[in-house]
Amino acid sequence: MGHGVRAPERAAVHAESGSRLGASHPRQEGPTDLRLVPPALAAWATAALMLDASMEWAVGAAVVGLVAAGVLLLVRQGAGDGTGDREATRATGATQATHPTQATRAVRVPRAALATCATQSRDQRASPPRATWPRVSVAAVLLCVAAAAVSAGLHGADVRRGPVPGLAREYVTVTAEVEVTSDPRLTRPRVKGDHMAPTAVLINADVRRVEEADGTAVETRTPVLVIIDAGRGSGAARAVDGRPNTPGNAQAPPGSAGGRTSPWLGLLPSTRLRVTATFAPSLMDGDRVAAVLRVRDPGVPEVVGEPSDAQRLAGRLRAGLREATDGLPADARALLPGLVVGDTSRITPELDEAFKETDLAHTLAVSGSNLTIILALLIGPPGRAQSAERRGLAPRLGFSLRTTALLGGGLTLAFVVVCRPDPSVLRAAACGAVVLLALATGRRRSLIPALATAVLLLVLYDPWLARSYGFLLSVLATGALLTLAPRWSAALRRRGVPPRLAEALAAAAAAQALCAPVVAVLSARVSLVAVPCNLLAEFAIAPATVLGFAALAAAPLTMPLAKALAWCASWPTGWIADVARTGAALPGAGVDWPGSWTGAALLALATAVVLLAGRRLLRHPWWCGVCGVLLLLLVVQPAPLTRVVTGWPPPGWRFAMCDVGQGDATVLAAGEGTGVVVDAGPDPTSVDRCLRALGITRIPLVVLTHFHADHVAGLPGVLRGRAVGAIETTGHEEPVDQVELVRREAAVRRIPVTRAAAGEERRTGSLSWQVVWPPAPSSPTAMAPDGPNDASVTLLVRSAGLRLLLLGDLEPPAQRALLRSPAGVLLGGVDVLKVAHHGSAYQDPELIRRAAPRLALISCGAGNPYGHPAPSTVAALRAQGAVVLRTDEDGALAVAGTGAELRVAGDWGHGFR
């Protein structure tokens, strides 16, 4: 002390601990070891390229890689014979100098020198071993390239070999035996024109045997996609596991015909079937299926081989979980099986869209986080897995580390079996194990080699993963958690953010930053609420997953306990669903973005710029606050501010036509926040967004002119979060599936459904309307409609001096009958005409002449295949002096003014008159 000796500087790990005594469990890590990253990336790229290459090219690439790697290794070995010995001699001398007990005679070394040597030794141990020659790394890359080329070549040849590709090109009908390789799934309902496209069951399978019409039988193993029309399935078939296809244990998502469940949905992987089907080529080149197999008989499948015991057990466990969730609220009933085992059979299109809008869709698929949560429950909190004070269930039960590792392996195997051992589950298990290792040891930097190893092994095992967007997103998210998240979390903690919040925020932001460009390619949209929604949902995922797996395990033993556990899990699960719905409902939840790799590059560049700017802004709290407020306003878009900025909707608007694509959805203003909605369009999201922009929260009446899907399929979006008084429809109840949709949605919300008939008059505030078509069945002017279009409810509306005629989809026969009806004399000289049937060519010229509208509005979709609106219809309207506007070119439209002055504005910020 008296000689002025300075105390040694504290290690960084202790200095950053915030404690006077330093960190209790210090972890001093060296630089990140990236040596395995180039081989993994090289194998990934090679597999993606070689899947389409011929076997000759694959073998050639492998030979070149092996020869080049061998040359490099031989050159290194020859050079090592000289320099290596010299390096070893010097290393031995250094060892003898620093370890006197091993020398021939003792040497007295000063204490300061020993301290210096000890410090150097610690530094050497802390840093990873460095490659002595870069040629070794290059040789490793070449060897991985060779292995990936061979694996990809063999897997690609599996798709192209055998008789199946040739039969697909000829569209041959054969009898084949196929082995199911995935869970059956239903296509999502979608609107196609004026009707809903029929739903179909999709099954991935391997063709094992083909019998052609001439009796020739060929053994093969070729991957195909089996398609079965679900709408024509009939009969209460029994599932393969012996349990009836009831709502408790069969997949019964929306869209099954008539409430029946297709018997094909009860099939388990590894089941072998005999089918008579027609081969067709795959629509996508470079796909992992060689052909599409369209089954001719969608009845009960003919089973010729039972599923394996493991798949039968997994099927019973999954069915038990579905049964345990039967009595839960709708969202929890649909979401819990998906959150636990990836069973999305009950997820409605509306809920699925909400999860996609908020970038929470990863919670609906089997994820590595599921396995991580369960194993973390066994091992305990981060950083204590190998310490004396380790926590979790294992030490409380007295299990040693080795026994705990074996239990963890058993849980991982059970996870793979229950969630199906397909590539996506294997990828989730591998990546989940990497994240678990990070949580257990706290050495995130050292786990980059582990992640690279997992990627390398999985790509070699299944080269098709190299083209999987899901695999890419999983690797990016895991890499973000291992690299960016710890640094960002430390930066946030240095600025006073609580540790748990800092880690959660950093993890969500890091994963979003790396995954957003790929998500933009898939969805052509960038979510602005992804980070806060993932942050809010994260705290509920762990309890929901743990309770869900507990219900899964308890279901075969005691169903009451399983139901109780599922009820407990419904609370955090319902919270996740509420977060998704609330986030998706915000007006600025997302922005459209180019759905291409160019768009992905632009988004990555924009993200980098935002991150660089964010680092500077963090030094200025006031600017951070301003940016936060601006982002909040952009997402929430309060109506008064939006109206000032965009001019939409215009002040005093009376009638609005929403831009919902190829369909109809219009709104009649009936007071502040109140409107009468006429038709709902084909898409719930589009019409909901339009009504929110208009500020509509109360709807005294919804008028559905007829039951075509492009007018009623969006009804759930109209009803979402709004007070609705009643629904009025036409009396012609076809198509039946859309009638059932309307009645089901109304029944769930206890909304009365009535029928409209000519002569009915109603009023609300300054808005009044009269139904002029269809006539009552007993009326002398009643006619048998030639389809749903001619039964469209037609309204003559009066609002603040304006007269509007809304024709629905009336076609010429009904239009002429309308002119001859008692209401025909009232139709002359209207101000606004909602042109019938999206402006099709089928219009009655006399009706156009009598209506003589000042303004004609046409609702149609951009690039629709029907040619709407027809040029002849537009010309006829303009010949009568009408201004013609259309949503495919002008966007949503709003009419304001009075009878003397008529104004029209579009939501794209331009006025027309």
Side-chain angles (χ1 to χ4, degrees):
M1 294 292 182
H3 299 286
V5 178
R6 188 175 60 179
E9 185 177 351
R10 303 183 80 194
V13 68
H14 294 295
E16 295 179 359
S17 66
S19 171
R20 182 177 60 86
L21 299 178
S24 59
H25 296 281
R27 296 184 296 271
Q28 301 187 51
E29 301 174 349
T32 304
D33 187 356
L34 302 177
R35 289 175 297 170
L36 284 176
V37 173
L41 294 179
W44 194 340
T46 303
L49 292 174
M50 286 296 171
L51 284 170
D52 293 330
S54 64
M55 200 61 201
E56 291 77 10
W57 278 97
V59 172
V63 170
V64 171
L66 288 173
V67 171
V71 170
L72 287 174
L73 291 175
L74 289 175
V75 170
R76 179 187 180 275
Q77 183 177 1
D81 292 340
T83 59
D85 291 342
R86 289 192 296 271
E87 292 291 337
T89 301
R90 285 196 293 267
T92 303
T95 302
Q96 293 175 349
T98 57
H99 297 276
T101 60
Q102 299 177 7
T104 56
R105 61 187 180 89
V107 179
R108 185 175 183 86
V109 182
R111 182 176 301 178
L114 285 175
T116 303
C117 293
T119 302
Q120 292 175 350
S121 177
R122 285 196 301 269
D123 293 340
Q124 291 171 359
R125 288 196 302 269
S127 61
R130 295 178 299 171
T132 57
W133 208 321
R135 294 182 183 181
V136 176
S137 299
V138 176
V141 170
L142 291 173
L143 289 174
C144 292
V145 166
V150 172
S151 180
L154 292 174
H155 281 77
D158 285 342
V159 176
R160 297 186 294 270
R161 71 184 178 187
V164 171
L167 296 173
R169 288 191 293 270
E170 301 295 330
Y171 294 88
V172 177
T173 299
V174 300
T175 298
E177 288 188 9
V178 300
E179 182 178 329
V180 178
T181 58
S182 72
D183 282 311
R185 57 197 184 277
L186 268 180
T187 57
R188 292 295 185 190
R190 60 185 181 88
V191 177
K192 186 177 181 180
D194 59 5
H195 64 279
M196 297 295 293
T199 56
V201 179
L202 305 180
I203 305 175
N204 290 98
D206 287 340
V207 175
R208 304 302 298 271
R209 178 184 174 89
V210 177
E211 300 175 6
E212 300 189 44
D214 59 359
T216 304
V218 180
E219 300 287 339
T220 184
R221 191 184 185 95
T222 308
V224 296
L225 177 65
V226 183
I227 301 179
I228 308 100
D229 183 4
R232 294 192 296 270
S234 61
R238 299 183 69 83
V240 178
D241 61 1
R243 304 180 67 166
N245 278 335
T246 61
N249 68 347
Q251 301 181 23
S256 55
R260 298 188 301 269
T261 301
S262 170
W264 294 79
L265 290 172
L267 296 173
L268 296 173
S270 73
T271 304
R272 195 154 176 169
L273 310 172
R274 178 187 295 272
V275 297
T276 300
T278 301
F279 281 110
S282 176
L283 296 179
M284 297 181 62
D285 293 332
D287 200 0
R288 71 187 306 160
V289 298
V292 172
L293 201 59
R294 290 192 171 273
V295 176
R296 302 181 65 182
D297 180 13
V300 179
E302 181 183 353
V303 178
V304 297
E306 296 296 324
S308 64
D309 292 339
Q311 292 295 347
R312 191 188 298 271
L313 174 61
R316 288 199 177 100
L317 288 173
R318 292 161 69 96
L321 179 61
R322 287 195 294 271
E323 184 177 351
T325 58
D326 277 343
L328 301 181
D331 282 346
R333 178 178 179 270
L335 184 55
L336 187 58
L339 188 66
V340 175
V341 294
D343 181 359
T344 59
S345 59
R346 292 172 171 175
I347 301 293
T348 63
E350 178 189 7
L351 186 60
D352 183 60
E353 185 65 27
F355 273 76
K356 290 179 180 178
E357 286 285 331
T358 54
D359 280 0
L360 284 171
H362 62 89
T363 61
L364 301 179
V366 177
S367 169
S369 61
N370 299 51
L371 180 62
T372 300
I373 291 169
I374 297 301
L375 293 183
L377 180 67
L378 176 68
I379 293 176
R384 292 188 178 270
Q386 297 180 348
S387 64
E389 300 85 2
R390 64 192 182 102
R391 298 176 184 173
L393 294 178
R396 294 180 183 276
L397 297 176
F399 295 146
S400 64
L401 281 176
R402 182 171 297 178
T403 304
T404 302
L406 292 176
L407 286 176
L411 282 176
T412 302
L413 179 61
F415 173 81
V416 173
V417 171
V418 172
C419 299
R420 309 296 193 228
D422 55 31
S424 64
V425 175
L426 294 176
R427 177 254 306 164
C431 293
V434 170
V435 176
L436 173 66
L437 189 57
L439 290 176
T441 65
R443 296 181 60 83
R444 290 179 171 85
R445 293 183 184 178
S446 65
L447 289 176
I448 294 297
L451 176 61
T453 302
V455 170
L456 178 60
L457 294 178
L458 287 173
V459 168
L460 293 178
Y461 170 77
D462 183 6
W464 291 104
L465 287 175
R467 295 184 176 181
S468 169
Y469 284 105
F471 182 69
L472 176 60
L473 288 171
S474 178
V475 173
L476 288 176
T478 307
L481 294 178
L482 298 178
T483 56
L484 296 180
R487 293 180 174 87
W488 293 3
S489 175
L492 291 174
R493 289 198 303 270
R494 286 196 298 268
R495 288 168 173 81
V497 179
R500 289 184 180 273
L501 178 60
E503 186 169 351
L505 184 59
Q512 180 66 17
L514 289 190
C515 294
V518 180
V519 174
V521 173
L522 299 175
S523 62
R525 191 170 176 81
V526 176
S527 175
L528 299 181
V529 298
V531 172
C533 286
N534 275 272
L535 189 62
L536 291 173
E538 182 179 349
F539 300 101
I541 289 177
T545 301
V546 172
L547 291 169
F549 270 106
L552 177 80
L557 304 176
T558 167
M559 186 54 66
L561 176 60
K563 288 182 175 291
L565 291 169
W567 179 83
C568 294
S570 68
W571 291 92
T573 305
W575 167 261
I576 297 172
D578 290 341
V579 169
R581 291 187 185 278
T582 303
L586 294 172
V591 294
D592 294 332
W593 197 267
S596 63
W597 287 110
T598 302
L602 291 174
L603 182 57
L605 179 61
T607 302
V609 171
V610 170
L611 291 176
L612 291 175
R615 292 185 61 182
R616 296 180 178 274
L617 285 175
L618 287 176
R619 305 169 187 171
H620 307 283
W622 283 103
W623 281 111
C624 290
V626 170
C627 291
V629 171
L630 290 177
L631 180 60
L632 182 64
L633 292 176
L634 178 63
V635 171
V636 176
Q637 294 183 10
L641 180 62
T642 303
R643 182 172 298 179
V644 171
V645 174
T646 66
W648 179 266
W653 68 275
R654 297 296 174 182
F655 175 72
M657 176 174 282
C658 297
D659 181 9
V660 293
Q662 186 65 16
D664 270 7
T666 59
V667 187
L668 296 163
E672 185 66 28
T674 305
V676 174
V677 176
V678 181
D679 285 328
D683 177 38
T685 301
S686 298
V687 69
D688 180 36
R689 188 176 296 129
C690 176
L691 294 177
R692 287 182 181 276
L694 294 171
I696 300 298
T697 57
R698 296 182 301 277
I699 304 175
L701 182 67
V702 177
V703 179
L704 300 176
T705 60
H706 60 296
F707 288 103
H708 275 156
D710 57 336
H711 290 250
V712 304
L715 181 60
V718 174
L719 305 181
R720 186 182 302 158
R722 297 178 181 88
V724 178
I727 298 175
E728 190 171 65
T729 70
T730 180
H732 186 76
E733 297 187 341
E734 291 184 6
V736 176
D737 61 332
Q738 296 309 297
V739 176
E740 292 178 349
L741 167 69
V742 172
R743 296 197 178 279
R744 183 169 59 248
E745 293 291 336
V748 168
R749 297 168 175 82
R750 299 181 180 178
I751 301 173
V753 180
T754 61
R755 290 185 178 182
E760 173 190 327
E761 296 187 20
R762 294 199 185 194
R763 172 182 293 275
T764 173
S766 61
L767 174 69
S768 63
W769 66 94
Q770 176 183 352
V771 178
V772 296
W773 190 265
S778 59
S779 172
T781 59
M783 57 174 284
D786 186 19
N789 285 346
D790 282 343
S792 294
V793 177
T794 303
L795 303 178
L796 181 62
V797 182
R798 294 175 177 83
S799 178
L802 295 179
R803 299 178 71 245
L804 304 93
L805 180 60
L806 313 183
L807 291 175
D809 274 3
L810 286 185
E811 295 187 352
Q815 292 178 12
R816 287 191 287 269
L818 173 61
L819 288 174
R820 294 192 300 268
S821 70
V825 298
L826 305 175
L827 305 182
V830 301
D831 297 297
V832 180
L833 174 68
K834 202 291 294 184
V835 181
H837 203 182
H838 319 293
S840 75
Y842 301 105
Q843 308 288 337
D844 181 57
E846 179 58 30
L847 178 60
I848 293 178
R849 284 193 290 269
R850 182 175 300 184
R854 299 162 57 190
L855 175 66
L857 303 181
I858 301 173
S859 179
C860 56
N864 68 83
Y866 312 102
H868 295 164
S872 59
T873 299
V874 175
L877 290 165
R878 288 173 176 166
Q880 296 299 317
V883 174
V884 181
L885 299 175
R886 40 197 282 189
T887 57
D888 62 333
E889 294 182 351
D890 305 312
L893 301 165
V895 180
T898 60
E901 182 183 358
L902 191 64
R903 301 188 308 276
V904 188
D907 66 342
W908 294 356
H910 41 246
F912 299 98
R913 188 175 177 180

